[in-house]
Amino acid sequence: MKPKKPSRFPITVMVLLALIFTPELLLIARFDSRIYDRIDAVPFSRYAIVFGAYVNEDGTLTDAALERTEAAVQLYQAGRVEKLFVSGTNSSHRQADVMAQYAEDRGVPAADIIVDGLGIDTHDTCRHIAALASEGVIVTQEFHLPRAMYICERSGVQGVGIAIDRLGILSSRGSTTLEIWATRGIRAVKESLLTWGFMLGIYQRSSLEAERIEQQALPE
């Protein structure tokens, strides 16, 4: 009887995982020294770049949107930034407007809030802030920071990041440990695939909604 050949499945899985996660891991290593977890440690910059997140139908902020906007407000109140660039898609429950209104209600003057209602994805936000500035504080969750910083850098915006999920803004990140780790796993895979998509140019070619709207708004 011939000995059974060892299965190649584990090796295939390991190679596939390495292929998926390598770009994201390289970005994490590259930007780690420019990511902060305390408001008072963030270097001064003119703009806090606030990436949009889903807003509820009733106009209330989801945890992700609340955490991003509140972190930006704290940066402003601490004198680490002069203005908030609040970017999100206003086609979905007026995301950017609702987040900007929260910041205003928390005491940030409307004159110091720039609303970008066409920040439909990360690339759009980075393109739009690049028209105003060449640097800023990138305000988003830690899992999103490496890709956001990379795309902004490619768009001409050098920045530092603030890992807002380390600031203790939210009292809970999930109801069970399993739920928390499952969410983290899904996010890790999603970010890795989106990073690959941007590096290969697929991301830019498949997400052109903001560009189409911008083109339609140009004078004839």
Side-chain angles (χ1 to χ4, degrees):
M1 185 174 179
K2 292 183 179 181
K4 189 177 180 180
K5 291 183 179 180
S7 172
R8 293 184 179 180
F9 181 73
I11 297 175
T12 302
V13 170
M14 291 176 63
V15 170
L16 182 60
L17 289 175
L19 183 64
I20 291 173
F21 288 109
T22 293
E24 185 70 8
L25 292 173
L26 290 174
L27 290 184
I28 290 171
R30 176 177 176 181
F31 292 113
D32 181 66
S33 63
R34 288 159 54 187
I35 293 175
Y36 296 85
D37 58 8
R38 296 195 341 264
I39 295 290
D40 60 0
V42 175
F44 174 80
S45 182
R46 188 170 187 200
Y47 292 99
I49 307 166
V50 190
F51 288 82
Y54 187 75
V55 167
N56 296 314
E57 289 186 25
D58 63 0
T60 57
L61 299 179
T62 59
D63 283 351
L66 171 64
E67 194 170 40
R68 293 179 186 186
T69 316
E70 175 61 29
V73 169
Q74 292 183 19
L75 284 167
Y76 181 89
Q77 293 174 338
R80 312 317 295 171
V81 297
E82 290 181 350
K83 294 180 181 291
L84 307 188
F85 182 81
V86 180
S87 180
T89 171
N90 270 342
S91 64
S92 175
H93 308 139
R94 303 203 65 77
Q95 185 183 105
D97 287 343
V98 172
M99 292 172 69
Q101 186 60 55
Y102 174 90
E104 191 174 344
D105 292 344
R106 287 279 286 112
V108 180
D112 288 340
I113 303 173
I114 299 167
V115 180
D116 169 29
L118 283 178
I120 295 172
D121 59 35
T122 300
H123 188 215
D124 294 327
T125 296
C126 291
R127 288 191 305 108
H128 296 159
I129 186 62
L132 294 175
S134 59
E135 52 84 29
V137 180
I138 294 175
V139 183
T140 188
Q141 283 79 12
E142 187 172 16
F143 72 87
H144 183 213
L145 275 172
R147 181 169 64 92
M149 294 174 74
Y150 173 68
I151 293 176
C152 277
E153 185 176 82
R154 289 287 299 272
S155 301
V157 180
Q158 296 290 332
V160 298
I162 177 74
I164 61 173
D165 35 343
R166 298 190 195 178
L167 300 179
I169 293 171
L170 299 181
S171 58
S172 172
R173 310 205 74 83
S175 56
T176 66
T177 302
L178 179 60
E179 179 185 342
I180 293 170
W181 280 102
T183 300
R184 288 177 179 175
I186 292 168
R187 285 173 173 170
V189 173
K190 178 183 176 182
E191 285 299 309
S192 297
L193 293 176
L194 288 172
T195 297
W196 261 117
F198 185 81
M199 288 180 170
L200 295 174
I202 301 169
Y203 184 99
Q204 300 90 311
R205 291 194 295 271
S206 63
S207 181
L208 297 172
E209 183 181 352
E211 287 87 339
R212 285 193 293 266
I213 296 172
E214 290 164 7
Q215 190 65 35
Q216 291 168 2
L218 292 174
E220 297 273 337

